[in-house]
Amino acid sequence: MTNNVVITGANRGIGLAMAQLFSAQGDKVYALCRQSSNDLDALTSSGVEVIENIDVATDIGIKMMLRALAGVAVDVLVCNAGILRDENLLSFNLDTMREQFEVNTLGPLKVVHALQMQLNDGGKIAMITSRMGSIADNGSGGRFGYRMSKAALNIASVSLSKDLAHREIAVGIYHPGYVQTDMVGGRGDIPAEEAAGRIVGLINALDMSETGVFKHSNGEVLPW
Ligand code: NDP
């Protein structure tokens, strides 16, 4: 069955790799981004629709998204766009903390809110979060903005799983692993294609029995 799949932050990294993989399995992909890339443009020949100027942190970005997706019934919504900044007690920066909250927490929530009526009953939402948002797993401290924004995304995602259960919309909450993308300066254990492949597999298998569950892309259930 061909699904309509919407992905935010699809111009590079894990989002780009997911766009390629969903398209390769026959889904219709709407690749949202602020600005496209050569790699994303190359996917248009296989039917991927590239939608630019979608900054998930801005009201205009959300409006542009709604305009571009008018009439599209969404089967799978992947909230992938995110940023990583760095703060600790010595380099304290409230601006970057707020910025991460806007992009990593409120961004995905605004996207879901805006598209809720276009999501098909029985559809799926995938939140790309991070194990750094796990309170139980915080063994090294620091990174205030990123950790708080992803922990807040996690609890918002659980609320969504409850709020959308009556429509049988399942919400998957995924940590991709430590992935070799720009976000981590190319360091990481696995390439974006591998992380994306695992996440696409988890999304394909996602159903209501696993809604609201926080998982590593390797399938392990993670502690909050
Ligand atoms: P990248 O930095 O490679 O890609 C981030 C993507 O998010 C880019 O497409 C970027 O677009 C987009 N983005 C950033 N800000 C906005 C915004 N305001 N509006 C719309 N799009 C935006 O990182 P990854 O691919 O690694 O990250 C993808 C997700 O995976 C993120 O949510 C991240 O937190 C998460 N993650 C990644 C890990 C890793 O090890 N890489 C580990 C744990 C979680 P643009 O090019 O315009 O900046």
Side-chain angles (χ1 to χ4, degrees):
M1 190 184 88
T2 298
N3 285 315
N4 287 334
V5 179
V6 174
I7 306 172
T8 66
N11 56 308
R12 59 189 171 98
I14 300 166
L16 171 70
M18 285 192 286
Q20 197 274 325
L21 289 170
F22 275 116
S23 176
Q25 70 179 18
D27 293 320
K28 172 70 188 175
V29 173
Y30 296 86
L32 310 189
C33 55
R34 293 193 288 192
Q35 191 175 0
S36 192
S37 60
N38 291 339
D39 288 336
L40 181 55
D41 287 341
L43 299 182
T44 56
S45 58
S46 45
V48 171
E49 197 163 318
V50 176
I51 301 172
E52 290 188 294
N53 298 312
I54 311 302
D55 184 331
V56 299
T58 65
D59 292 344
I60 186 74
I62 300 295
K63 272 192 194 134
M64 303 274 278
M65 176 188 75
L66 280 178
R67 194 176 306 158
L69 293 176
V72 176
V74 180
D75 299 296
V76 178
L77 171 59
V78 185
C79 295
N80 163 77
I83 54 170
L84 169 68
R85 305 288 185 252
D86 196 9
E87 314 87 12
N88 56 40
L89 276 179
L90 297 176
S91 63
F92 201 69
N93 188 334
L94 288 170
D95 290 337
T96 57
M97 290 184 216
R98 288 193 185 98
E99 182 191 10
Q100 287 167 99
F101 193 69
E102 289 289 345
V103 177
N104 296 347
T105 313
L106 298 183
L109 195 54
K110 288 194 298 190
V111 168
V112 173
H113 174 256
L115 290 176
Q116 59 182 316
M117 301 319 294
Q118 284 173 246
L119 268 166
N120 284 328
D121 290 358
K124 304 177 187 188
I125 296 172
M127 293 300 199
I128 309 304
T129 179
S130 171
R131 187 155 68 178
M132 287 183 69
S134 167
I135 294 168
D137 191 66
N138 184 352
S140 54
R143 298 271 183 187
F144 292 120
Y146 192 71
R147 288 189 187 283
M148 291 191 294
S149 66
K150 291 294 193 179
L153 174 61
N154 288 354
I155 199 160
S157 302
V158 173
S159 282
L160 288 172
S161 74
K162 309 288 179 198
D163 297 346
L164 295 170
H166 67 289
R167 295 177 55 197
E168 304 225 321
I169 294 173
V171 181
I173 307 166
Y174 302 123
H175 166 66
Y178 186 31
V179 188
Q180 293 150 0
T181 64
D182 295 343
M183 177 169 282
V184 295
R187 298 176 300 274
D189 299 329
I190 53 172
E193 294 70 23
E194 189 175 341
R198 292 174 180 179
I199 295 169
V200 169
L202 290 173
I203 296 171
N204 287 340
L206 175 65
D207 61 23
M208 289 304 287
S209 70
E210 297 218 305
T211 191
V213 176
F214 181 23
K215 279 193 171 182
H216 192 296
S217 67
N218 67 13
E220 186 191 338
V221 174
L222 295 172
W224 301 114

